[in-house]
Amino acid sequence: MIALIDYGAGNLTSVRKALAAVGADFSTPAAPGDLAAAAAIIIPGVGHFGATRAITDEWREAILAAVSRGTPLLGICLGLQYLFEGSDEAPELNGLGLFKGRCTLLPPRVKVPHVGWNSLSTRRRSRLLDGIKDGTQVYFTPSYAAPITRAAAATTEHGARFASVVEHERIFGVQFHPEKSSDAGLRVLRSFVEISKSPQISKFPHSQIFK
């Protein structure tokens, strides 16, 4: 069962429809303790980074504990940004800190938010992007974007180049909306579902997670 986190900013209806379309078993956990039984976790998100304030310390710790056990985690759009240390959009709030760096505003010389289709430029092999060709078009809506670090499996350019897919071990994030990205988006979600069915890797404390 995949746990779909609801913190009031997730566009859950569309994500649920897309997960159903790829045959996923999923539920929306009512309490942090419910994540202990989850085969995988998805943190969706639309809008301002300040919305992550609704993810309380109890939920944060439950998510990090699950990651430490090897539970696959996927962040979508704002959910990807939450995997990093934080965002200039709400500098007083911390992200999960699973990846090093902060999200910054896209350049003012281009239209922000960046709403519409854009291409993925793949940087390396990625389980999440299995079967997705370099240059594939997917649907974006961000105003802020994540830095390009070693975690970046794909990048996209809109005024500046940013990380559009991040991946390390069983931690994944996509800046685009797979639930709105037609066949390519469904393929990404299907890959994550398959990853959630694979055996867990060795346990490791989240303080040692890839930076």
Side-chain angles (χ1 to χ4, degrees), residues 24-211:
D25 292 324
F26 60 92
S27 65
T28 302
D34 296 340
L35 297 184
I41 299 170
I42 295 178
I43 305 176
V46 178
H48 198 282
F49 195 85
T52 63
R53 183 179 284 106
I55 304 176
T56 64
D57 289 344
E58 291 78 11
W59 280 101
R60 284 174 57 91
E61 289 306 310
I63 293 167
L64 291 172
V67 171
S68 296
R69 294 190 297 269
T71 303
L73 172 65
L74 172 64
I76 296 175
C77 194
L78 182 56
L80 172 142
Q81 296 179 20
Y82 190 59
L83 301 179
F84 285 79
E85 294 173 292
S87 171
D88 290 351
E89 190 172 28
E92 75 281 8
L93 298 177
N94 293 323
L96 288 174
L98 298 174
F99 296 125
K100 186 176 181 180
R102 298 182 62 82
C103 299
T104 56
L105 183 65
L106 290 168
R109 64 179 177 272
V110 294
K111 186 177 180 180
V112 176
H114 168 33
V115 178
W117 296 83
N118 205 338
S119 60
L120 296 175
S121 177
T122 54
R123 289 164 54 91
R124 57 182 173 85
R125 291 186 62 183
S126 162
R127 288 182 294 162
L128 196 63
L129 297 178
D130 182 44
I132 302 294
K133 295 181 179 179
D134 185 45
T136 293
Q137 295 272 318
V138 289
Y139 191 83
F140 290 87
T141 62
S143 296
Y144 286 72
I148 298 173
T149 67
R150 290 184 299 154
T155 63
T156 297
E157 185 168 358
H158 184 69
R161 192 159 288 279
F162 59 89
S164 47
V165 180
V166 293
E167 177 175 334
H168 177 68
E169 299 289 358
R170 291 162 79 85
I171 307 169
F172 308 86
V174 292
Q175 183 60 68
F176 61 92
H177 286 278
E179 74 278 11
K180 297 181 179 180
S181 296
S182 192
D183 291 344
L186 292 179
R187 185 158 195 146
V188 167
L189 291 176
R190 191 175 292 110
S191 291
F192 183 70
V193 171
E194 291 305 311
I195 290 167
S196 74
K197 297 176 181 178
S198 63
Q200 291 188 351
I201 60 173
S202 300
K203 298 178 183 179
F204 49 89
H206 61 73
S207 62
Q208 295 179 12
I209 287 172
F210 182 76
K211 300 294 185 181

